[in-house]
Amino acid sequence: MNDAIAVVGAGIAGLSLVDALLERGMRPSELIVIDAGDPHRGSNAPATVLHPFAGRTMAPGEEHWRAFLKSWETLKRWCAREDEPLWRPAPMMRLMEGDKLSAKLEESWEEGRARYPEVVKSRRVEGDESVRLLPSWQGAPALVYEPAAAVDLPGLCAALLKRAKERGVRVVQGEVADLRGGEEGWVIGFAGGAPALRVARVVLATGAALGALLGEADLRERPGEVGVWEATGPLEDLNVMINSAANLFERPDGRVGVGSTYLKREGWREREDAEADRELREKMAAALGGADPGTALEIWRGVRGIYGSDHRPLVGPVAGERELFVMAGFGSKGLTWAPAMGQVLAAHLLEGAAIWDVVDARRARRMRLRA
């Protein structure tokens, strides 16, 4: 398969690219997806949202809006073509808690809202309207905006992978242990001694695992955890999704997702679920008026990858390497960027289209294959 493209990673990054390549007419027989099935990758988080203001400002730049709008439309199209519910659109309510961060958020909203895209609606609420949306907030100020949605990210990835396989894409289960490039393409070796693959081009969409294959580029892990609760007691009948110390929202299946708590890189795998449960409930307290939601049904703990030098995604060719590409470094903003970047990288691979400057992986000039 010397003309094939191998996409290493079957999370939201890799599968966004695969879907975009197929939509642009690439033959499924020339595509290989390699999946290590890591349960700790960010795409396995059971509580995920897509909304316009995932950071600490409500006046994001032009490239953010460009990515968000493209990803939103892509997500809407994906979810519409599947029979099972994969998302639940709802307004997001960002609670103004009287601290410095809240003041900065409101200031940035006042500054930026005149430049919001037409599809993005926002308003400030307090008093009766605030009570109607979230009674436990007792009428205190908040910013409400949409579009936003809770997303069944594991279910979405499973649907994208199933669709790719049904169209004829080859899926290989295994962990890449070795990459060797040459004039005739790439040889991919696997842990455990499975037969190697030879392909023309390789795209590394491996999230936090990217640093195991590429080094010297300030690739970092960002661990975190989320929880899932039954929608009972104080969690019944959420009218909005809530952005406070943690996101709090009804999932497509009717249960409630809460997160994310960020963890130190050292020792996160050994952390006890009881500690996570307690910390997530503490983060829910303000939004729920102090009411106790009970014990979580599920705690998920995992790790996302970021490019530490500027915290922007890495998309496109690896500088100094022939026919080697990356699509990674999305951190906690995978749904904001990955669906859009799948289309950008697919256009580059098939048509030579330009990579957006803000994410171009060639800025990480020290990134090299590990020996």
Side-chain angles (χ1 to χ4, degrees):
M1 301 189 70
N2 289 343
D3 294 329
I5 297 176
V7 178
V8 184
I12 190 61
L15 293 172
S16 294
L17 174 60
V18 168
D19 188 81
L21 287 169
L22 293 172
E23 291 301 310
R24 286 183 174 271
M26 185 169 184
R27 287 184 294 181
S29 60
E30 294 181 345
L31 262 177
I32 301 172
V33 176
I34 300 172
D35 182 23
D38 181 5
H40 298 294
R41 65 184 172 200
S43 293
N44 282 351
T48 309
V49 295
L50 173 59
H51 66 106
F53 308 108
R56 290 176 171 265
T57 180
M58 295 191 69
E62 180 181 343
E63 294 303 322
H64 166 91
W65 286 122
R66 191 178 174 193
F68 171 79
L69 294 174
K70 188 180 285 288
S71 289
W72 179 264
E73 289 303 316
T74 302
L75 179 64
K76 183 163 63 173
R77 174 171 57 83
W78 285 342
C79 293
R81 74 188 185 190
E82 301 299 332
D83 294 332
E84 56 189 302
L86 295 174
W87 76 336
R88 180 182 178 274
M92 177 71 83
M93 186 170 178
R94 193 155 206 168
L95 307 185
M96 299 290 102
E97 301 179 82
D99 56 5
K100 289 183 179 180
L101 175 58
S102 296
K104 288 182 178 180
L105 285 169
E106 188 162 8
E107 182 180 342
S108 66
W109 175 70
E110 291 283 5
E111 171 197 339
R113 60 180 173 147
R115 299 188 297 276
Y116 290 174
E118 185 176 354
V119 70
V120 176
K121 311 298 182 185
S122 66
R123 67 189 191 277
R124 187 183 189 277
V125 299
E126 61 181 323
D128 290 346
E129 188 173 10
S130 178
V131 169
R132 178 180 64 81
L133 293 171
L134 185 63
S136 60
W137 192 229
Q138 300 179 345
L143 298 173
V144 179
Y145 54 86
E146 51 189 324
V151 181
D152 177 1
L153 187 52
L156 175 62
C157 288
L160 290 171
L161 186 60
K162 179 183 177 183
R163 183 172 289 268
K165 291 170 70 174
E166 289 175 345
R167 294 181 66 173
V169 174
R170 181 181 174 189
V171 177
V172 176
Q173 298 291 330
E175 179 182 353
V176 173
D178 184 52
L179 279 175
R180 301 288 174 181
E183 292 294 324
E184 298 183 1
W186 289 89
V187 176
I188 304 173
F190 294 92
L197 292 176
R198 185 179 295 275
V199 296
R201 290 180 281 182
V202 175
V203 181
L204 299 176
T206 52
L210 186 63
L213 297 169
L214 295 173
E216 300 184 39
D218 197 14
L219 302 169
R220 304 181 189 177
E221 293 184 344
R222 174 168 284 179
E225 56 198 3
V226 298
V228 178
W229 269 259
E230 285 286 9
T232 58
L235 296 176
E236 286 186 282
D237 301 323
L238 286 176
N239 298 312
V240 290
M241 299 192 292
I242 301 164
N243 187 329
S244 181
N247 290 328
L248 174 64
F249 51 91
E250 184 179 337
R251 304 192 316 174
D253 66 357
R255 289 177 169 170
V256 173
V258 182
S260 168
T261 298
Y262 294 104
L263 306 173
K264 294 180 179 179
R265 279 183 280 175
E266 299 78 20
W268 65 268
R269 292 177 185 270
E270 290 74 39
R271 183 171 156 88
E272 295 292 332
D273 285 355
E275 185 177 3
D277 181 289
R278 175 180 57 79
E279 290 189 11
L280 286 169
R281 280 191 284 167
E282 287 175 356
K283 289 180 178 292
M284 298 161 69
L288 299 177
D292 186 356
T295 302
L297 295 171
E298 176 186 359
I299 297 289
W300 174 89
R301 193 170 297 108
V303 62
R304 303 174 176 94
I306 60 169
Y307 178 46
S309 297
D310 57 23
H311 288 207
R312 300 200 309 266
L314 293 167
V315 180
V318 175
E321 300 287 354
R322 180 174 177 170
E323 303 294 357
L324 180 64
F325 306 83
V326 293
M327 187 167 161
F330 298 106
S332 59
K333 299 177 183 177
L335 278 175
T336 301
W337 284 93
M341 293 302 99
Q343 296 179 43
V344 168
L345 185 52
H348 177 79
L349 290 169
L350 298 183
E351 302 154 19
I355 300 292
W356 295 3
D357 288 343
V358 72
V359 300
D360 196 324
R362 285 168 289 199
R363 74 186 189 277
R365 297 190 178 277
R366 296 177 58 201
M367 190 158 54
R368 293 290 184 273
L369 278 176
R370 291 189 182 274

